[in-house]
Amino acid sequence: MHTRKPELKEREKLLKLEEDHFHDLKSARIAPGKLQETFVAFANADGGELYVGIEDKKSTGERIQGFPSPEAANDAIHTLLEETKPSVENVEIEFIDFGKKGLVLYFFIPKSPKVHYTTQEECYVRINARKKRLKGEQITQLGYTKGTYNYEKQPVDQADIADLAESGHLASYLERIETSLPPKVFLKKQKLTTKQGKDTHPNVGCVLMFDEEPQATLDTRCAIKIYRLRTTEKEYKREQLDGMPRTINGPIEEQIHSAIKAIATTLSGVSYHEAGKLVKLKYPADAIKEILVNAVIHRDYSLNDDIHIKIYDNRIEIQSPGKLPGYITRENIYDERYSRNPNIVRLLHNLPNPLNHDIGEGLNTARNEMKKAGLVEPEIHELDNALVVTIKHQRIATLEDTILQYLKSHPGGSITNKVVRELTGEDDVNKIKKAFQRLRKQGTIMPENENASPFQFKYKLKK
């Protein structure tokens, strides 16, 4: 087993490392059976890195207290590699020699295509900085997600490892995560290269992260397109398209930052008529960011399509290629976790101040930010081969509340179905019609003219 000296500043880096979805630190005194639970949880989730020989941050004194010799770690290694059922393949192990402070045992655990159990026949999965024990149907559902075709690991034969190793984006990444590993060694260790026959090439995830122009290198479309549409209708016409769609290329991290700026610039000039008044379109910036990041890191890159961001007069639609992955449904999307592209998710998460700060919490954050702003939560729809998340400029108040509030603030005035649609962002004409009917039945409102045509029908407060 390989033993190496710590890299430059590696000690400081390990001591600052926060335990999260992809990293865990354990004491060398931990029982092998307890360590195995964390090992299994990583393999059943998105993989991760496990360091054994580092004391908890709450402890006093020297935190690096490794094994005195490689033999002292034999029980832990044997339990994890030999007694995990079935065994986890392609695990990388090494000792980091901190001299008198001992040997820190390091495991790189890949996401496994199998469901794994501990010696005690228990199944765990990693969720952020903790492990969760699964039982019964939960294990069955986990099994459904395993063996899924993982496009991000497919080799890209028109890409060359030497070219990727010289990429400025990779150099910037290595500097920010504070590693002194040579670029080619880093790419191999992080599973960013894949064998194809006798040759080894960068894989799709590697190209998306570090290629100067991944959209030109890959055979699939992977840009972001932003549209400004001057309408509130479900379908738009060409004449309602304000200018040409903006196309954003580049590696994933750069794409996300550029798209966030482009959306903010577009929204800064967007206003629309709401009940006769000119209103600026405002959404919580964090909600837009979280939905966009989610779309980029979880989309299906095997599908030949871009991400489409459509900014309407009363809503934003973010459409990403691919239906909901694995066992994720519209009903459990806020509670369950699944990464279609675990390498991309992990690499972005390893950065300081990462774009995907809390794994699996992106849509939850977006929903909470919308509520704080007094807007309805995002709507999620599946198309034949895409997922659409819509955030509306629609207040949380009920339709009836909105109607009454408007009429009370306009003494002697009236209100139409169209005005309610503008006020609430609700585009279902029949829903608004039923709200009018309920208020009329309560004796709160009355028609201004019973004989008016459907398109001219107005309501006013009943005296």
Side-chain angles (χ1 to χ4, degrees), residues 126-344:
R126 185 81 172 181
I127 299 177
N128 289 324
R130 64 184 179 88
K131 61 179 185 286
K132 176 183 177 182
R133 185 180 173 188
L134 303 184
K135 296 181 180 180
E137 181 62 24
Q138 293 174 319
I139 297 175
T140 302
Q141 289 185 337
L142 177 64
Y144 288 151
T145 72
K146 297 296 183 175
T148 303
Y149 178 71
N150 198 335
Y151 186 74
E152 71 167 359
K153 291 186 178 178
Q154 296 305 301
V156 182
D157 54 13
Q158 58 265 51
D160 186 82
I161 291 176
D163 292 338
L164 266 296
E166 295 175 2
S167 160
H169 297 289
L170 177 57
S172 169
Y173 183 91
L174 296 178
E175 181 179 355
R176 284 180 289 157
I177 66 168
E178 297 181 334
T179 179
S180 56
L181 284 176
K184 289 183 181 179
V185 175
F186 173 83
L187 294 178
K188 181 181 179 183
K189 278 182 170 286
Q190 295 298 317
K191 309 300 181 187
L192 293 169
T193 61
T194 302
K195 275 199 167 185
Q196 187 177 42
K198 294 181 179 179
D199 300 320
T200 301
H201 295 280
N203 55 35
V204 171
C206 179
V207 170
L208 287 167
M209 283 292 299
F210 302 122
D211 193 272
E212 300 292 336
E213 296 184 28
Q215 290 73 25
T217 303
L218 297 175
D219 291 329
T220 185
R221 287 157 61 189
C222 52
I224 298 174
K225 290 186 179 293
I226 301 176
Y227 309 70
R228 169 70 182 107
L229 300 160
R230 295 189 176 278
T231 180
T232 61
E233 302 300 320
K234 288 184 178 180
E235 302 294 332
Y236 67 90
K237 300 174 183 176
R238 180 176 288 274
E239 58 266 25
Q240 292 166 327
L241 181 62
D242 187 1
M244 292 296 292
R246 178 172 176 179
T247 301
I248 297 177
N249 294 309
I252 282 178
E253 186 188 3
E254 185 178 287
Q255 262 193 326
I256 293 172
H257 286 299
S258 298
I260 289 171
K261 289 180 183 176
I263 294 169
T265 300
T266 303
L267 284 175
S268 67
V270 175
S271 58
Y272 68 103
H273 284 89
E274 181 185 90
K277 296 180 181 178
L278 199 63
V279 178
K280 285 188 72 66
L281 198 62
K282 282 187 178 180
Y283 296 101
D286 282 346
I288 296 172
K289 174 202 156 192
E290 294 293 345
I291 295 171
L292 171 62
V293 170
N294 223 54
V296 173
I297 65 179
H298 294 307
R299 64 153 287 179
D300 187 343
Y301 282 98
S302 70
L303 296 176
N304 192 23
D305 198 2
D306 299 314
I307 290 172
H308 300 275
I309 301 172
K310 299 174 183 177
I311 302 174
Y312 290 83
D313 280 345
N314 64 343
R315 68 191 185 277
I316 299 175
E317 293 180 358
I318 298 181
Q319 178 177 320
S320 57
K323 301 185 77 169
L324 289 169
Y327 55 84
I328 302 299
T329 65
R330 288 173 58 195
E331 288 70 34
N332 68 14
I333 194 167
Y334 289 107
D335 303 310
E336 299 293 339
R337 307 287 177 262
Y338 184 90
S339 295
R340 180 182 268 126
N341 306 299
N343 266 8
I344 290 171

Side-chain angles (χ1 to χ4, degrees), residues 39-47 110-112 114-117 123-126 134 142 145-146:
F39 179 80
V40 164
F42 275 132
N44 282 335
D46 299 317
K111 177 178 180 177
S112 174
K114 302 173 183 177
V115 177
H116 298 276
Y117 299 83
C123 182
Y124 292 87
V125 67
R126 185 81 172 181
L134 303 184
L142 177 64
T145 72
K146 297 296 183 175

Side-chain angles (χ1 to χ4, degrees), residues 398-409 415-416 420 423-424 431-437 439 445 459 461:
T398 66
L399 294 172
E400 288 93 328
D401 288 341
T402 302
I403 293 167
L404 292 176
Q405 185 179 357
Y406 178 85
L407 289 174
K408 288 174 182 177
S409 63
I415 190 169
T416 64
V420 179
L423 286 169
T424 64
K431 279 187 181 180
I432 298 170
K433 184 178 178 181
K434 288 177 182 177
F436 279 133
Q437 290 170 348
L439 288 172
I445 63 172
Y459 287 92
L461 283 174

